[in-house]
mmCIF file of all heavy atoms in Angstrom:
data_model
loop_
_atom_site.group_PDB
_atom_site.id
_atom_site.type_symbol
_atom_site.label_atom_id
_atom_site.label_comp_id
_atom_site.label_asym_id
_atom_site.label_seq_id
_atom_site.Cartn_x
_atom_site.Cartn_y
_atom_site.Cartn_z
ATOM 1 N N ALA A 16 24.973 135.703 103.049
ATOM 2 C CA ALA A 16 26.130 134.888 102.657
ATOM 3 C C ALA A 16 26.807 134.289 103.883
ATOM 4 O O ALA A 16 26.915 134.967 104.953
ATOM 5 C CB ALA A 16 27.158 135.736 101.923
ATOM 6 N N ASP A 17 27.285 133.085 103.764
ATOM 7 C CA ASP A 17 28.121 132.484 104.793
ATOM 8 C C ASP A 17 29.432 132.044 104.084
ATOM 9 O O ASP A 17 29.729 132.498 103.017
ATOM 10 C CB ASP A 17 27.439 131.339 105.539
ATOM 11 C CG ASP A 17 26.956 130.196 104.633
ATOM 12 O OD1 ASP A 17 27.615 129.928 103.616
ATOM 13 O OD2 ASP A 17 25.957 129.576 105.004
ATOM 14 N N THR A 18 30.205 131.193 104.717
ATOM 15 C CA THR A 18 31.480 130.822 104.153
ATOM 16 C C THR A 18 31.388 129.885 102.920
ATOM 17 O O THR A 18 32.378 129.675 102.247
ATOM 18 C CB THR A 18 32.413 130.201 105.198
ATOM 19 O OG1 THR A 18 31.725 129.008 105.737
ATOM 20 C CG2 THR A 18 32.663 131.170 106.373
ATOM 21 N N THR A 19 30.210 129.293 102.693
ATOM 22 C CA THR A 19 30.071 128.354 101.611
ATOM 23 C C THR A 19 28.946 128.657 100.629
ATOM 24 O O THR A 19 28.989 128.114 99.503
ATOM 25 C CB THR A 19 29.836 126.916 102.153
ATOM 26 O OG1 THR A 19 28.609 126.909 102.886
ATOM 27 C CG2 THR A 19 31.013 126.464 103.035
ATOM 28 N N GLU A 20 27.982 129.458 101.026
ATOM 29 C CA GLU A 20 26.822 129.757 100.173
ATOM 30 C C GLU A 20 26.404 131.197 100.189
ATOM 31 O O GLU A 20 26.627 131.890 101.177
ATOM 32 C CB GLU A 20 25.603 128.892 100.622
ATOM 33 C CG GLU A 20 25.771 127.408 100.467
ATOM 34 C CD GLU A 20 24.475 126.675 100.853
ATOM 35 O OE1 GLU A 20 23.823 127.059 101.842
ATOM 36 O OE2 GLU A 20 24.165 125.734 100.131
ATOM 37 N N VAL A 21 25.740 131.631 99.101
ATOM 38 C CA VAL A 21 25.084 132.962 99.056
ATOM 39 C C VAL A 21 23.621 132.737 98.636
ATOM 40 O O VAL A 21 23.378 132.001 97.703
ATOM 41 C CB VAL A 21 25.784 133.864 98.026
ATOM 42 C CG1 VAL A 21 25.050 135.257 98.000
ATOM 43 C CG2 VAL A 21 27.268 134.075 98.414
ATOM 44 N N TRP A 22 22.694 133.372 99.343
ATOM 45 C CA TRP A 22 21.280 133.274 99.065
ATOM 46 C C TRP A 22 20.719 134.671 98.874
ATOM 47 O O TRP A 22 21.152 135.603 99.527
ATOM 48 C CB TRP A 22 20.560 132.551 100.174
ATOM 49 C CG TRP A 22 20.823 131.053 100.232
ATOM 50 C CD1 TRP A 22 21.928 130.442 100.693
ATOM 51 C CD2 TRP A 22 19.948 130.083 99.843
ATOM 52 N NE1 TRP A 22 21.806 129.063 100.590
ATOM 53 C CE2 TRP A 22 20.585 128.810 100.040
ATOM 54 C CE3 TRP A 22 18.645 130.056 99.294
ATOM 55 C CZ2 TRP A 22 19.942 127.611 99.795
ATOM 56 C CZ3 TRP A 22 18.005 128.829 99.010
ATOM 57 C CH2 TRP A 22 18.694 127.606 99.261
ATOM 58 N N LEU A 23 19.663 134.767 98.041
ATOM 59 C CA LEU A 23 18.857 135.991 97.943
ATOM 60 C C LEU A 23 17.489 135.635 98.480
ATOM 61 O O LEU A 23 16.796 134.756 97.938
ATOM 62 C CB LEU A 23 18.781 136.451 96.518
ATOM 63 C CG LEU A 23 17.901 137.661 96.261
ATOM 64 C CD1 LEU A 23 18.449 138.892 96.998
ATOM 65 C CD2 LEU A 23 17.756 137.986 94.776
ATOM 66 N N LEU A 24 17.098 136.297 99.538
ATOM 67 C CA LEU A 24 15.768 136.071 100.190
ATOM 68 C C LEU A 24 14.928 137.307 99.928
ATOM 69 O O LEU A 24 15.326 138.420 100.089
ATOM 70 C CB LEU A 24 15.966 135.909 101.714
ATOM 71 C CG LEU A 24 14.767 136.013 102.601
ATOM 72 C CD1 LEU A 24 13.770 134.868 102.321
ATOM 73 C CD2 LEU A 24 15.105 136.093 104.085
ATOM 74 N N GLU A 25 13.655 137.051 99.455
ATOM 75 C CA GLU A 25 12.728 138.169 99.263
ATOM 76 C C GLU A 25 11.500 137.928 100.145
ATOM 77 O O GLU A 25 10.919 136.804 100.148
ATOM 78 C CB GLU A 25 12.378 138.265 97.777
ATOM 79 C CG GLU A 25 13.617 138.667 97.029
ATOM 80 C CD GLU A 25 13.416 139.103 95.590
ATOM 81 O OE1 GLU A 25 12.509 138.610 94.913
ATOM 82 O OE2 GLU A 25 14.147 140.009 95.191
ATOM 83 N N ILE A 26 11.140 138.939 100.902
ATOM 84 C CA ILE A 26 10.032 138.864 101.820
ATOM 85 C C ILE A 26 9.080 140.040 101.572
ATOM 86 O O ILE A 26 9.499 141.109 101.172
ATOM 87 C CB ILE A 26 10.475 138.830 103.273
ATOM 88 C CG1 ILE A 26 11.171 140.214 103.644
ATOM 89 C CG2 ILE A 26 11.418 137.674 103.621
ATOM 90 C CD1 ILE A 26 11.524 140.294 105.157
ATOM 91 N N VAL A 27 7.827 139.774 101.827
ATOM 92 C CA VAL A 27 6.824 140.842 101.739
ATOM 93 C C VAL A 27 5.793 140.605 102.832
ATOM 94 O O VAL A 27 5.411 139.464 103.128
ATOM 95 C CB VAL A 27 6.183 141.008 100.356
ATOM 96 C CG1 VAL A 27 5.299 139.785 100.008
ATOM 97 C CG2 VAL A 27 5.372 142.283 100.212
ATOM 98 N N SER A 28 5.346 141.677 103.468
ATOM 99 C CA SER A 28 4.358 141.614 104.516
ATOM 100 C C SER A 28 3.037 140.964 104.018
ATOM 101 O O SER A 28 2.671 141.164 102.858
ATOM 102 C CB SER A 28 4.081 143.005 105.055
ATOM 103 O OG SER A 28 2.921 143.055 105.916
ATOM 104 N N LYS A 29 2.337 140.295 104.919
ATOM 105 C CA LYS A 29 0.995 139.814 104.585
ATOM 106 C C LYS A 29 -0.055 140.874 104.749
ATOM 107 O O LYS A 29 -1.189 140.634 104.433
ATOM 108 C CB LYS A 29 0.676 138.606 105.453
ATOM 109 C CG LYS A 29 1.458 137.333 105.113
ATOM 110 C CD LYS A 29 1.031 136.173 105.984
ATOM 111 C CE LYS A 29 1.624 134.888 105.510
ATOM 112 N NZ LYS A 29 1.198 133.703 106.319
ATOM 113 N N GLY A 30 0.300 142.029 105.312
ATOM 114 C CA GLY A 30 -0.630 143.139 105.426
ATOM 115 C C GLY A 30 -1.385 143.186 106.710
ATOM 116 O O GLY A 30 -1.208 142.374 107.625
ATOM 117 N N ALA A 31 -2.233 144.222 106.822
ATOM 118 C CA ALA A 31 -2.994 144.437 108.037
ATOM 119 C C ALA A 31 -3.871 143.252 108.355
ATOM 120 O O ALA A 31 -4.454 142.659 107.462
ATOM 121 C CB ALA A 31 -3.876 145.737 107.867
ATOM 122 N N GLY A 32 -4.024 142.924 109.628
ATOM 123 C CA GLY A 32 -4.834 141.856 110.040
ATOM 124 C C GLY A 32 -4.197 140.482 109.910
ATOM 125 O O GLY A 32 -4.812 139.464 110.192
ATOM 126 N N GLU A 33 -2.972 140.450 109.398
ATOM 127 C CA GLU A 33 -2.205 139.192 109.208
ATOM 128 C C GLU A 33 -0.978 139.223 110.060
ATOM 129 O O GLU A 33 -0.628 140.263 110.580
ATOM 130 C CB GLU A 33 -1.809 138.992 107.739
ATOM 131 C CG GLU A 33 -2.972 139.057 106.767
ATOM 132 C CD GLU A 33 -3.607 137.701 106.494
ATOM 133 O OE1 GLU A 33 -3.085 136.677 107.042
ATOM 134 O OE2 GLU A 33 -4.597 137.653 105.786
ATOM 135 N N ARG A 34 -0.282 138.086 110.168
ATOM 136 C CA ARG A 34 0.953 138.045 110.933
ATOM 137 C C ARG A 34 2.064 137.410 110.035
ATOM 138 O O ARG A 34 1.777 136.384 109.408
ATOM 139 C CB ARG A 34 0.750 137.227 112.197
ATOM 140 C CG ARG A 34 2.012 137.026 113.057
ATOM 141 C CD ARG A 34 2.540 138.326 113.592
ATOM 142 N NE ARG A 34 1.681 139.098 114.437
ATOM 143 C CZ ARG A 34 1.669 139.043 115.742
ATOM 144 N NH1 ARG A 34 2.488 138.289 116.410
ATOM 145 N NH2 ARG A 34 0.817 139.814 116.424
ATOM 146 N N GLY A 35 3.244 138.008 110.000
ATOM 147 C CA GLY A 35 4.321 137.447 109.273
ATOM 148 C C GLY A 35 4.427 137.863 107.830
ATOM 149 O O GLY A 35 3.829 138.834 107.383
ATOM 150 N N VAL A 36 5.172 137.057 107.058
ATOM 151 C CA VAL A 36 5.501 137.365 105.662
ATOM 152 C C VAL A 36 5.336 136.168 104.760
ATOM 153 O O VAL A 36 5.286 135.056 105.218
ATOM 154 C CB VAL A 36 6.967 137.919 105.541
ATOM 155 C CG1 VAL A 36 7.130 139.206 106.234
ATOM 156 C CG2 VAL A 36 7.956 136.850 106.039
ATOM 157 N N VAL A 37 5.216 136.418 103.447
ATOM 158 C CA VAL A 37 5.432 135.388 102.449
ATOM 159 C C VAL A 37 6.816 135.661 101.907
ATOM 160 O O VAL A 37 7.300 136.767 101.809
ATOM 161 C CB VAL A 37 4.315 135.375 101.364
ATOM 162 C CG1 VAL A 37 3.047 134.827 101.924
ATOM 163 C CG2 VAL A 37 4.115 136.769 100.794
ATOM 164 N N TRP A 38 7.469 134.560 101.429
ATOM 165 C CA TRP A 38 8.858 134.732 101.021
ATOM 166 C C TRP A 38 9.293 133.601 100.151
ATOM 167 O O TRP A 38 8.666 132.518 100.083
ATOM 168 C CB TRP A 38 9.766 134.797 102.261
ATOM 169 C CG TRP A 38 9.711 133.614 103.134
ATOM 170 C CD1 TRP A 38 8.858 133.437 104.206
ATOM 171 C CD2 TRP A 38 10.563 132.447 103.112
ATOM 172 N NE1 TRP A 38 9.098 132.214 104.784
ATOM 173 C CE2 TRP A 38 10.134 131.568 104.128
ATOM 174 C CE3 TRP A 38 11.616 132.046 102.284
ATOM 175 C CZ2 TRP A 38 10.753 130.377 104.386
ATOM 176 C CZ3 TRP A 38 12.216 130.803 102.541
ATOM 177 C CH2 TRP A 38 11.787 129.998 103.576
ATOM 178 N N VAL A 39 10.389 133.864 99.432
ATOM 179 C CA VAL A 39 11.086 132.809 98.639
ATOM 180 C C VAL A 39 12.556 133.208 98.636
ATOM 181 O O VAL A 39 12.909 134.381 98.733
ATOM 182 C CB VAL A 39 10.512 132.730 97.197
ATOM 183 C CG1 VAL A 39 10.710 133.983 96.423
ATOM 184 C CG2 VAL A 39 11.110 131.533 96.449
ATOM 185 N N ALA A 40 13.422 132.218 98.617
ATOM 186 C CA ALA A 40 14.842 132.414 98.606
ATOM 187 C C ALA A 40 15.489 131.548 97.513
ATOM 188 O O ALA A 40 15.088 130.395 97.309
ATOM 189 C CB ALA A 40 15.467 132.083 99.943
ATOM 190 N N ARG A 41 16.470 132.094 96.852
ATOM 191 C CA ARG A 41 17.235 131.335 95.818
ATOM 192 C C ARG A 41 18.710 131.325 96.193
ATOM 193 O O ARG A 41 19.248 132.395 96.555
ATOM 194 C CB ARG A 41 17.060 131.992 94.441
ATOM 195 C CG ARG A 41 15.719 131.916 93.809
ATOM 196 C CD ARG A 41 15.294 130.536 93.356
ATOM 197 N NE ARG A 41 16.254 129.859 92.480
ATOM 198 C CZ ARG A 41 16.283 129.892 91.141
ATOM 199 N NH1 ARG A 41 15.357 130.595 90.530
ATOM 200 N NH2 ARG A 41 17.148 129.265 90.491
ATOM 201 N N ARG A 42 19.318 130.158 96.087
ATOM 202 C CA ARG A 42 20.753 130.088 96.228
ATOM 203 C C ARG A 42 21.438 130.584 94.932
ATOM 204 O O ARG A 42 21.075 130.139 93.863
ATOM 205 C CB ARG A 42 21.195 128.663 96.509
ATOM 206 C CG ARG A 42 22.704 128.561 96.883
ATOM 207 C CD ARG A 42 23.036 127.172 97.331
ATOM 208 N NE ARG A 42 23.046 126.223 96.182
ATOM 209 C CZ ARG A 42 24.004 126.131 95.282
ATOM 210 N NH1 ARG A 42 25.094 126.859 95.325
ATOM 211 N NH2 ARG A 42 23.923 125.234 94.293
ATOM 212 N N ILE A 43 22.418 131.447 95.117
ATOM 213 C CA ILE A 43 23.224 131.917 93.969
ATOM 214 C C ILE A 43 24.215 130.822 93.602
ATOM 215 O O ILE A 43 24.984 130.401 94.427
ATOM 216 C CB ILE A 43 23.933 133.216 94.272
ATOM 217 C CG1 ILE A 43 22.971 134.260 94.810
ATOM 218 C CG2 ILE A 43 24.655 133.767 93.040
ATOM 219 C CD1 ILE A 43 21.800 134.606 93.945
ATOM 220 N N PRO A 44 24.157 130.274 92.343
ATOM 221 C CA PRO A 44 25.124 129.243 92.001
ATOM 222 C C PRO A 44 26.573 129.672 92.199
ATOM 223 O O PRO A 44 26.879 130.877 92.092
ATOM 224 C CB PRO A 44 24.817 129.034 90.479
ATOM 225 C CG PRO A 44 23.381 129.451 90.340
ATOM 226 C CD PRO A 44 23.260 130.615 91.278
ATOM 227 N N ASP A 45 27.417 128.692 92.482
ATOM 228 C CA ASP A 45 28.821 129.054 92.845
ATOM 229 C C ASP A 45 29.557 129.710 91.732
ATOM 230 O O ASP A 45 30.542 130.473 91.964
ATOM 231 C CB ASP A 45 29.530 127.746 93.199
ATOM 232 C CG ASP A 45 29.012 127.111 94.493
ATOM 233 O OD1 ASP A 45 28.378 127.856 95.276
ATOM 234 O OD2 ASP A 45 29.310 125.911 94.736
ATOM 235 N N ASP A 46 29.151 129.533 90.457
ATOM 236 C CA ASP A 46 29.864 130.161 89.349
ATOM 237 C C ASP A 46 29.156 131.436 88.885
ATOM 238 O O ASP A 46 29.410 131.912 87.780
ATOM 239 C CB ASP A 46 29.979 129.188 88.189
ATOM 240 C CG ASP A 46 28.599 128.764 87.643
ATOM 241 O OD1 ASP A 46 27.573 129.150 88.237
ATOM 242 O OD2 ASP A 46 28.598 128.080 86.606
ATOM 243 N N SER A 47 28.337 132.044 89.724
ATOM 244 C CA SER A 47 27.528 133.190 89.346
ATOM 245 C C SER A 47 27.654 134.346 90.295
ATOM 246 O O SER A 47 28.131 134.199 91.433
ATOM 247 C CB SER A 47 26.049 132.765 89.238
ATOM 248 O OG SER A 47 25.886 131.704 88.321
ATOM 249 N N ALA A 48 27.174 135.467 89.845
ATOM 250 C CA ALA A 48 27.042 136.674 90.687
ATOM 251 C C ALA A 48 25.616 137.206 90.558
ATOM 252 O O ALA A 48 24.923 136.876 89.571
ATOM 253 C CB ALA A 48 28.039 137.726 90.224
ATOM 254 N N SER A 49 25.168 137.963 91.510
ATOM 255 C CA SER A 49 23.860 138.533 91.433
ATOM 256 C C SER A 49 23.895 139.951 92.015
ATOM 257 O O SER A 49 24.727 140.275 92.866
ATOM 258 C CB SER A 49 22.894 137.703 92.285
ATOM 259 O OG SER A 49 21.569 138.280 92.298
ATOM 260 N N SER A 50 23.044 140.785 91.490
ATOM 261 C CA SER A 50 22.878 142.150 92.005
ATOM 262 C C SER A 50 21.397 142.381 92.308
ATOM 263 O O SER A 50 20.523 141.669 91.838
ATOM 264 C CB SER A 50 23.384 143.176 91.006
ATOM 265 O OG SER A 50 22.559 143.129 89.866
ATOM 266 N N HIS A 51 21.160 143.354 93.159
ATOM 267 C CA HIS A 51 19.773 143.727 93.392
ATOM 268 C C HIS A 51 19.700 145.257 93.683
ATOM 269 O O HIS A 51 20.652 145.819 94.218
ATOM 270 C CB HIS A 51 19.093 142.913 94.501
ATOM 271 C CG HIS A 51 19.736 143.043 95.858
ATOM 272 N ND1 HIS A 51 19.498 142.135 96.847
ATOM 273 C CD2 HIS A 51 20.565 143.928 96.397
ATOM 274 C CE1 HIS A 51 20.149 142.503 97.946
ATOM 275 N NE2 HIS A 51 20.795 143.555 97.693
ATOM 276 N N ALA A 52 18.611 145.849 93.252
ATOM 277 C CA ALA A 52 18.485 147.290 93.442
ATOM 278 C C ALA A 52 17.011 147.719 93.407
ATOM 279 O O ALA A 52 16.482 148.020 92.351
ATOM 280 C CB ALA A 52 19.289 148.078 92.382
ATOM 281 N N ASN A 53 16.400 147.691 94.609
ATOM 282 C CA ASN A 53 15.068 148.194 94.755
ATOM 283 C C ASN A 53 13.985 147.620 93.829
ATOM 284 O O ASN A 53 13.092 148.321 93.374
ATOM 285 C CB ASN A 53 15.073 149.733 94.648
ATOM 286 C CG ASN A 53 16.081 150.313 95.591
ATOM 287 O OD1 ASN A 53 17.123 150.769 95.253
ATOM 288 N ND2 ASN A 53 15.711 150.332 96.902
ATOM 289 N N GLN A 54 14.138 146.332 93.532
ATOM 290 C CA GLN A 54 13.068 145.628 92.769
ATOM 291 C C GLN A 54 13.165 144.127 93.153
ATOM 292 O O GLN A 54 14.306 143.563 93.266
ATOM 293 C CB GLN A 54 13.294 145.760 91.255
ATOM 294 C CG GLN A 54 12.405 144.847 90.398
ATOM 295 C CD GLN A 54 10.937 145.162 90.592
ATOM 296 O OE1 GLN A 54 10.596 146.341 90.675
ATOM 297 N NE2 GLN A 54 10.145 144.117 90.611
ATOM 298 N N ALA A 55 12.008 143.527 93.409
ATOM 299 C CA ALA A 55 12.039 142.094 93.712
ATOM 300 C C ALA A 55 12.598 141.373 92.502
ATOM 301 O O ALA A 55 12.260 141.693 91.353
ATOM 302 C CB ALA A 55 10.617 141.600 93.993
ATOM 303 N N ARG A 56 13.474 140.398 92.660
ATOM 304 C CA ARG A 56 14.178 139.735 91.578
ATOM 305 C C ARG A 56 13.679 138.362 91.274
ATOM 306 O O ARG A 56 13.837 137.824 90.188
ATOM 307 C CB ARG A 56 15.676 139.648 91.928
ATOM 308 C CG ARG A 56 16.366 141.007 92.134
ATOM 309 C CD ARG A 56 16.390 141.820 90.871
ATOM 310 N NE ARG A 56 16.958 141.099 89.768
ATOM 311 C CZ ARG A 56 18.235 140.889 89.560
ATOM 312 N NH1 ARG A 56 19.127 141.402 90.391
ATOM 313 N NH2 ARG A 56 18.652 140.215 88.519
ATOM 314 N N ILE A 57 13.180 137.651 92.275
ATOM 315 C CA ILE A 57 12.825 136.230 92.124
ATOM 316 C C ILE A 57 11.435 136.102 91.465
ATOM 317 O O ILE A 57 10.477 136.561 91.976
ATOM 318 C CB ILE A 57 12.871 135.475 93.453
ATOM 319 C CG1 ILE A 57 14.283 135.605 94.083
ATOM 320 C CG2 ILE A 57 12.501 133.993 93.242
ATOM 321 C CD1 ILE A 57 14.375 134.996 95.441
#
């Protein structure tokens, strides 16, 4: 979160023999709330 936006970013390793992650991020709409708890949401 910053002063104007909130984002949910999900990342997962590419695994052994690879470098980096695959990922996706969603902006939380201004009139919404989001929760997360030990499960990928996107």
